[in-house]
Amino acid sequence: MALDTRTDRRPSLAATLWGSSVGKKTVMAVSGLIMLLYLVVHMIGNLKIFFGAAEFNHYAHWLRVVGEPFMHEEWTLWLVRVVLLAAVVAHATSAYQLSRRDIRARPSRYVHRKPRASYATRTMRWGGIILGLFLVWHLLDLTTGTVHSGFRPGHPYQNVVDTFSTWYGNVIYLVAMVALGLHVRHGFWSAAQSLGVGSGSRDRLLKTTANALALVLTVGFVSVPVAVMTGVVS
């Protein structure tokens, strides 16, 4: 008589959390906040372009040597890139799986129409896709220069001005920044709910903070191409 040597193995805590909707929403919230922090820092860095080519190029060079001599050249920059890549993958994967789970949970149309959601809420998924495609374009445009015919390595100020001197560069960037503002506006409030920070007494403050962050980021990022188009930055 053969003996069954199999043993029942309980899934790990991480696997259990990841398998639950609450766990995926938590991953989305944490990864989203990591990206939001980066966006705030990135926007502040972008605004240095208003202080001239020397200031902006010096800042771009500093990004490559920050942490020296403890960190080798570009090590800190690559560390940030790895963390951001992990956050993007975790965020996108969680969003996709939650979306598929939501669709499977309600295969038929609602009998009663749900209350009309905000524009940002209804476009979160499309906004995420737009931002994902923009991220690829942005890297190919101003990091590798693959889609940038006039790209000059080591001249970030001129590369930015050159990009926003084209109509398609401005259209792509402006559309993406509007999508970003809507995404941040809804995403920040949703992250607070997922992490258990939200409450009836805090909802107004959280929504106000979300609106302020979305507005500041949108205006901050959009100000650069607008400045190039109007000749303020040239």
Side-chain angles (χ1 to χ4, degrees):
M1 180 178 177
L3 296 177
D4 188 355
T5 58
R6 293 176 301 176
T7 58
D8 294 331
R9 293 184 178 180
R10 293 183 179 181
S12 65
L13 178 60
T16 301
L17 288 174
W18 175 248
S20 68
S21 294
V22 172
K24 293 183 188 298
K25 288 179 180 179
T26 301
V27 170
M28 274 194 70
V30 173
S31 58
L33 291 175
I34 290 173
M35 290 186 288
L36 179 60
L37 176 61
Y38 168 77
L39 286 171
V40 172
V41 174
H42 186 43
M43 180 202 68
I44 294 173
N46 281 4
L47 295 179
K48 288 183 175 291
I49 200 168
F50 289 99
F51 295 96
E55 178 81 10
F56 190 74
N57 289 339
H58 177 70
Y59 164 69
H61 173 72
W62 174 82
L63 290 176
R64 298 180 179 278
V65 299
V66 62
E68 288 189 341
F70 178 74
M71 299 289 280
H72 190 65
E73 183 176 350
E74 294 195 4
W75 278 13
T76 302
L77 183 60
W78 275 105
L79 179 61
V80 172
R81 287 170 175 170
V82 170
V83 172
L84 283 174
L85 178 60
V88 169
V89 171
H91 197 77
T93 302
S94 301
Y96 175 77
Q97 293 184 358
L98 283 169
S99 177
R100 299 302 302 172
R101 183 171 293 184
D102 184 51
I103 292 173
R104 288 196 300 268
R106 48 179 178 81
S108 58
R109 296 178 64 88
Y110 289 106
V111 176
H112 301 289
R113 186 178 296 276
K114 296 178 69 177
R116 188 176 182 84
S118 69
Y119 184 78
T121 302
R122 289 183 284 115
T123 57
M124 279 294 285
R125 290 170 186 151
W126 281 111
I129 293 173
I130 290 172
L131 291 173
L133 293 174
F134 169 75
L135 178 60
V136 174
W137 165 268
H138 197 51
L139 291 174
L140 294 177
D141 180 31
L142 291 175
T143 300
T144 67
T146 307
V147 297
H148 190 154
S149 59
F151 184 78
R152 298 172 60 192
H155 295 79
Y157 180 92
Q158 190 57 47
N159 290 334
V160 170
V161 172
D162 188 52
T163 285
F164 295 133
S165 296
T166 62
W167 68 267
Y168 57 86
N170 286 314
V171 169
I172 292 173
Y173 195 86
L174 292 176
V175 169
M177 292 308 100
V178 171
L180 174 66
L182 293 173
H183 209 76
V184 168
R185 179 174 177 267
H186 179 71
F188 180 83
W189 185 83
S190 296
Q193 306 308 309
S194 298
L195 296 176
V197 178
S199 66
S201 60
R202 296 174 183 166
D203 276 357
R204 176 171 294 184
L205 175 61
L206 289 172
K207 289 181 178 179
T208 300
T209 303
N211 290 336
L213 277 171
L215 180 62
V216 169
L217 285 171
T218 303
V219 172
F221 281 118
V222 165
S223 66
V224 177
V226 170
V228 174
M229 284 188 286
T230 56
V232 174
V233 172
S234 60

